[in-house]
Amino acid sequence: MIKKSLLLWLSLLILSLTNAQSDLQRWQQRANNTEIIRDQWGIPHIYGKSDADAVFGMIYAQCEDDFNRVEVNYINALGRMAEVEGISQLYTDFRMKMYIDEEVLKKEYTNSPEWLRNLMDAWADGINYFLYTHPEVKPKLISKFEPWMALAFSEGSIGGDIETISVNQLKTFYDKDFYANLVLQERDFDEEPRGSNGFAIAPKLSKSGNALLLINPHTSFYFRPEIHMVSEDGLNAYGAVTWGQFFIYQGFNEFNGWMHTSSRADAIDHFALTVEKRNGKYHYLYGKEWRPITEKKMLLKYKEGSEIVEREITAYYSHHGPIIREENGKWIAISLMVERVKALTQSFTRTKTKNHTEFKATMDLKTNSSNNTVYADREGNIVYYHGNFIPVRDPQFDWRNVVDGSNPATAWKGLHEVEEMIFIKNPANGWIQNCNSTPFTAAGPFSPKKEDYPAYMAWDLENARGINAVRVLAGQTDFTLETLIAAAYEPTLMAFEPLVPALQKAFEELPDSDPRKKSLIEPMNMLVNWDLKSGINSIGTSLAIFWGGQLMADARDLERAWDHYIFDFLAHSTSDTMKIDAFEKAINKLIADFGSWNIPWGEINRFQRLTNEVHGKFYDDLPSLPIGFNSSMWGSLAAYGSRAYPNTKRWYGNVGNSFVAVVEFGEKVKAKSILAGGQSGQPFSPHFVDQAEKYAKGEFKDVNFYKEDVLKNSRTQYRPGRLSKN
């Protein structure tokens, strides 16, 4: 018996050593087929013999720059965050595991086309080879990445569709009495908007006669690095990649470019179910039949002290999707897109398209569920797609709210074809814009008409950025990369166009006996004479932002129609008393925090990068840079979401313009870009904050796209596994 056990142990050891040797040989072969060149900004340019080699090199380079963010994205995507952070993440993991089943992902990987499996294999190899060659890097949880894991995070958006599911409601429905007093943090959909701007300019409006594209995502800072992927299989894509993914999410190649903006095209529905327990099992009514609720046991793990504890929860599913809460005696199921292989296919293949026909073929996969797309190409086409995954529904129902899931008439009836969605190609005005705003102003007077589409295709409302974008683009000609940057950074805060006159009127109607008529006259005159432009030297900006924020907070409980433009609502539906009171509070707050109301915006609004923690830390007594940009909420096209922290008076940015690029599609592509801070997540790297001053001024660097430019500006050249000073 002892001999048999020893032989088994030796066999397993030999097999393990053999597999490890095989892995190492494969990794080294991939490394031999891959070269990484980092330019003067630390941007990695990856050159691989095949697409898979390029994927291997680009994920290796990402790990060099910030392995922590790569790993954290997959800990979250796999529903394992509670194993790192504890009970507070248990129901976030449960929400994720409602859609992510390891065994299902493994089958999807096995059944994927060979070319896609090759990319997933190379992706896992690149991360694992990084860990092998960097033993000093200690993963939080995932010490070995498997190829199927790539399917857990396949689209690249800021927040996945499942983040619309309330974790508190999940806990209340499934696990109410466990840690009964635990209050979980939800995604705050009223916080600084994490949207984006995309502009496309037709050849007739550009000085060179070439189409231009603005790529301007508004994400949390350092959410996406900048990278360049090239292979002998025809890949040559440049742009922003979400940490841990192997495709350029927002970017361009030699022929075309794509910019995604967050959409409110309806891709998610909630269904109310009538549920009864029959013969000991839950059933729900559908038409005239009672269907069994599917039950699935999920084993969740969470960290408690120094131990990992397990908890089993049984999830319930209907044909509409999982049950996520109870409401008015009904169980509520949610339907959303679950197409991982197709989504990953679309995400990668669009980076290799050479014209609009090929690009549209990727859009026909219909898996870019939460985004609009602004597109431009070398042939001069400019195009806009509003949404991509839109189910066909019966328009008699109110799809903004919960519908009756027992009524078969509410069932999805397939998906809309791309041609049926809101779509703009080469409008006569010569420009397209989307700023997470209504598609019905995307091309000025040549925009689609709202009445031509079902309401669920575009719940998007006009916002201050959209109004400003139309104003800025209308009538302009002779666009260059530089003037497109100027348009994208035009600083007018259109939100205050209706607000300031409303406040002025309220102030003028104060009785002369009111002491505020005298105490507020100076700041009031400053605000009334303000040009509505945000800037580091602008005192009017400081007054407007503190007052506008206070008025919005004071008006939070007022009833407002969902489609009422918020700044018209604040201007016309708040009382004069509310407006004056909010202004007085704003003045007092400025004086309390900064010693005076008469303070320029740049003294308040700052950029600082000290650590690479996902949630940054900021300190007033340490160096920082003044920033003239502003929150996208107020209409700042160059978005900069900032706030004070518990230990600060100054406001520090953490979301907004992150990676920004402008591209011209001529015979040779030309581009400029900028990152918040820098490429590297390593605080002691020269590329941690080397772009910060340019970023603060809205100045862009030239993109090194062609090999001769990359080599001319090269700082390090190496193959994965060899030392890089990034």
Side-chain angles (χ1 to χ4, degrees):
M1 186 69 181
I2 295 175
K3 287 184 177 180
K4 286 185 178 180
S5 298
L6 183 59
L7 285 172
L8 178 61
W9 182 83
L10 287 172
S11 298
L12 291 173
L13 178 61
I14 292 169
L15 179 63
S16 176
L17 292 172
T18 301
N19 288 339
Q21 186 63 30
S22 175
D23 286 344
L24 182 57
Q25 289 174 349
R26 187 178 67 256
W27 298 340
Q28 290 175 337
Q29 182 58 50
R30 289 196 191 278
N32 289 336
N33 291 339
T34 308
E35 183 179 37
I36 301 172
I37 304 176
R38 289 187 181 267
D39 66 19
Q40 72 270 46
W41 302 101
I43 309 302
H45 302 259
I46 317 301
Y47 296 89
K49 286 188 177 297
S50 66
D51 287 350
D53 294 328
V55 165
F56 174 83
M58 71 92 79
I59 193 64
Y60 184 96
Q62 284 186 56
C63 291
E64 287 183 306
D65 285 333
D66 204 328
F67 174 78
N68 176 58
R69 289 178 189 263
V70 171
E71 186 194 13
V72 164
N73 276 348
Y74 282 88
I75 294 173
N76 180 66
L78 293 166
R80 300 186 63 187
M81 192 60 76
E83 296 176 54
V84 176
E85 296 191 4
I87 191 69
S88 66
Q89 297 299 313
L90 183 66
Y91 302 96
T92 302
D93 287 351
F94 176 54
R95 178 177 66 183
M96 190 66 73
K97 284 181 178 292
M98 283 182 153
Y99 293 95
I100 298 295
D101 183 317
E102 180 176 322
E103 295 308 313
V104 172
L105 263 62
K106 288 177 180 177
K107 289 178 183 176
E108 290 178 343
Y109 162 77
T110 300
N111 295 328
S112 294
E114 182 179 7
W115 70 267
L116 187 57
R117 289 200 311 275
N118 288 340
L119 299 187
M120 289 188 270
D121 292 344
W123 170 83
D125 282 348
I127 304 176
N128 292 328
Y129 190 46
F130 169 81
L131 290 174
Y132 174 81
T133 56
H134 292 76
E136 74 282 3
V137 174
K138 305 299 180 186
K140 285 180 166 67
L141 184 66
I142 308 175
S143 57
K144 183 177 182 181
F145 283 73
E146 302 287 349
W148 57 265
M149 292 178 180
L151 289 166
F153 189 23
S154 57
E155 196 224 8
S157 295
I158 300 167
D161 293 340
I162 71 168
E163 288 192 12
T164 63
I165 300 172
S166 165
V167 285
N168 283 293
Q169 290 176 345
L170 274 183
K171 184 183 187 309
T172 298
F173 183 81
Y174 283 104
D175 212 18
K176 184 177 182 179
D177 296 329
F178 183 67
Y179 275 85
N181 297 321
L182 181 66
V183 178
L184 305 168
Q185 184 173 353
E186 303 277 11
R187 180 178 175 184
D188 183 0
F189 288 91
D190 292 324
E191 67 181 353
E192 172 64 23
R194 282 165 165 77
S196 300
N197 300 340
F199 297 171
I201 308 298
K204 70 178 184 179
L205 294 185
S206 76
K207 191 170 184 179
S208 65
N210 299 320
L212 306 175
L213 180 67
L214 166 73
I215 300 169
N216 185 193
H218 300 161
T219 68
S220 52
F221 291 168
Y222 328 119
F223 183 73
R224 294 190 183 111
E226 189 170 345
I227 208 159
H228 185 196
M229 301 173 68
V230 184
S231 82
E232 295 176 15
D233 289 338
L235 175 67
N236 190 2
Y238 191 107
V241 57
T242 307
W243 289 109
Q245 294 184 320
F246 62 70
F247 52 86
I248 302 297
Y249 181 64
Q250 291 156 318
F252 59 94
N253 59 36
E254 295 172 275
F255 306 99
N256 56 31
W258 53 95
M259 170 59 207
H260 303 306
T261 60
S262 298
S263 177
R264 291 190 66 189
D266 198 343
I268 304 171
D269 284 320
H270 293 209
F271 296 86
L273 304 179
T274 300
V275 178
E276 288 185 6
K277 208 164 194 179
R278 298 186 160 213
N279 299 319
K281 294 284 188 178
Y282 287 113
H283 289 70
Y284 66 101
L285 183 65
Y286 188 67
K288 295 181 179 180
E289 67 172 319
W290 287 90
R291 295 186 173 186
I293 289 279
T294 300
E295 298 185 4
K296 183 176 180 180
K297 294 185 183 298
M298 296 184 180
L299 189 64
L300 300 164
K301 297 180 181 181
Y302 63 97
K303 186 177 181 181
E304 192 166 70
S306 59
E307 297 183 353
I308 297 296
V309 184
E310 295 181 346
R311 184 162 184 81
E312 185 177 85
I313 301 177
T314 299
Y316 299 130
Y317 294 80
S318 71
H319 76 282
H320 294 295
I323 310 302
I324 60 171
R325 68 180 186 275
E326 186 173 3
E327 189 175 286
N328 299 322
K330 304 281 189 179
W331 286 15
I332 309 301
I334 187 171
S335 290
L336 49 81
M337 186 196 82
V338 185
E339 290 280 5
R340 288 175 286 265
V341 174
K342 285 173 65 176
L344 193 55
T345 298
Q346 182 179 21
S347 294
F348 185 81
T349 56
R350 67 169 162 250
T351 69
K352 296 185 69 174
T353 57
K354 294 181 172 61
N355 51 52
H356 182 248
T357 299
E358 292 182 6
F359 189 88
K360 183 187 173 297
T362 71
M363 296 297 286
D364 287 337
L365 290 170
K366 293 177 285 193
T367 53
N368 198 0
S369 65
S370 61
N371 293 304
N372 310 314
T373 301
V374 181
Y375 168 95
D377 66 28
R378 182 187 288 187
E379 295 175 356
N381 295 303
I382 61 170
V383 185
Y384 175 71
Y385 296 88
H386 191 76
N388 190 230
F389 174 92
I390 305 180
V392 178
R393 306 162 170 100
D394 186 333
Q396 71 172 306
F397 298 101
D398 179 9
W399 294 101
R400 291 193 69 249
N401 294 300
V402 178
V403 296
D404 182 3
S406 66
N407 184 351
T410 64
W412 285 359
K413 300 168 179 63
L415 297 177
H416 282 284
E417 298 301 326
V418 170
E419 292 81 3
E420 298 171 340
M421 302 176 200
I422 300 170
F423 172 76
I424 305 169
K425 183 177 180 183
N426 298 329
N429 61 306
W431 54 261
I432 291 170
Q433 65 82 25
N434 184 257
C435 300
N436 317 117
S437 46
T438 173
F440 304 120
T441 60
F446 298 93
S447 303
K449 305 302 179 189
K450 186 175 183 178
E451 57 270 20
D452 293 339
Y453 300 91
Y456 59 73
M457 278 200 177
W459 299 122
D460 314 71
L461 304 178
E462 191 60 280
N463 61 32
R465 273 182 295 135
I467 292 171
N468 200 25
V470 170
R471 184 184 69 85
V472 167
L473 295 173
Q476 273 212 51
T477 59
D478 292 334
F479 275 101
T480 63
L481 292 182
E482 289 72 22
T483 59
L484 183 56
I485 293 170
Y489 280 68
E490 204 287 330
T492 302
L493 304 184
M494 294 299 291
F496 292 98
E497 189 175 51
L499 287 178
V500 172
L503 175 63
Q504 181 182 14
K505 179 176 177 293
F507 183 77
E508 288 173 349
E509 292 181 0
L510 277 177
D512 291 339
S513 59
D514 192 315
R516 292 176 298 181
K517 195 86 171 184
K518 181 177 180 180
S519 65
L520 297 179
I521 185 65
E522 285 189 62
M524 183 61 65
N525 286 339
M526 179 70 73
L527 183 60
V528 167
N529 291 316
W530 174 50
D531 61 4
L532 304 186
K533 296 186 186 299
S534 185
I536 60 173
N537 297 315
S538 171
I539 296 168
T541 301
S542 304
L543 293 169
I545 299 307
F546 274 66
W547 170 63
Q550 185 64 57
L551 182 62
M552 189 172 285
D554 292 349
R556 189 178 297 273
D557 294 331
L558 296 183
E559 188 173 342
R560 173 171 68 98
W562 72 271
D563 58 350
H564 194 164
Y565 177 55
I566 187 171
F567 299 112
D568 282 344
F569 170 80
L570 291 173
H572 305 303
S573 298
T574 58
S575 67
D576 287 356
T577 299
M578 286 183 71
K579 294 181 182 74
I580 297 296
D581 285 350
F583 190 61
E584 185 176 35
K585 290 176 187 176
I587 298 302
N588 291 338
K589 177 67 172 172
L590 281 164
I591 292 171
D593 286 353
F594 301 102
S596 170
W597 61 263
N598 195 15
I599 187 165
W601 180 235
E603 287 298 310
I604 299 170
N605 198 43
R606 313 291 289 188
F607 175 90
Q608 189 179 76
R609 190 183 191 190
L610 301 173
T611 74
N612 192 38
E613 295 173 76
V614 173
H615 303 290
K617 294 181 179 178
F618 305 96
Y619 301 91
D620 284 343
D621 56 350
L622 293 177
S624 61
L625 295 171
I627 300 291
F629 321 137
N630 224 299
S631 167
S632 65
M633 177 175 62
W634 306 114
S636 183
L637 291 170
Y640 193 79
S642 60
R643 62 179 177 87
Y645 289 78
N647 63 312
T648 74
K649 298 296 185 183
R650 284 175 154 179
W651 293 19
Y652 297 91
N654 70 333
V655 61
N657 276 23
S658 43
F659 167 80
V660 192
V662 289
V663 193
E664 179 181 330
F665 296 99
E667 284 301 310
K668 293 191 71 173
V669 69
K670 297 178 183 177
K672 293 176 176 289
S673 69
I674 193 68
L675 278 174
Q679 172 71 17
S680 178
Q682 311 304 325
F684 297 105
S685 166
H687 305 299
F688 186 64
V689 288
D690 59 335
Q691 297 184 52
E693 289 192 14
K694 280 182 169 290
Y695 174 87
K697 296 174 183 177
E699 296 176 355
F700 283 45
K701 63 187 186 296
D702 291 329
V703 165
N704 299 311
F705 185 78
Y706 292 99
K707 187 73 173 279
E708 59 266 28
D709 295 319
V710 174
L711 291 173
K712 185 166 59 178
N713 293 287
S714 167
R715 295 298 181 269
T716 56
Q717 293 179 239
Y718 58 101
R719 298 192 183 277
R722 301 179 187 177
L723 184 63
S724 162
K725 297 179 181 179
N726 60 313

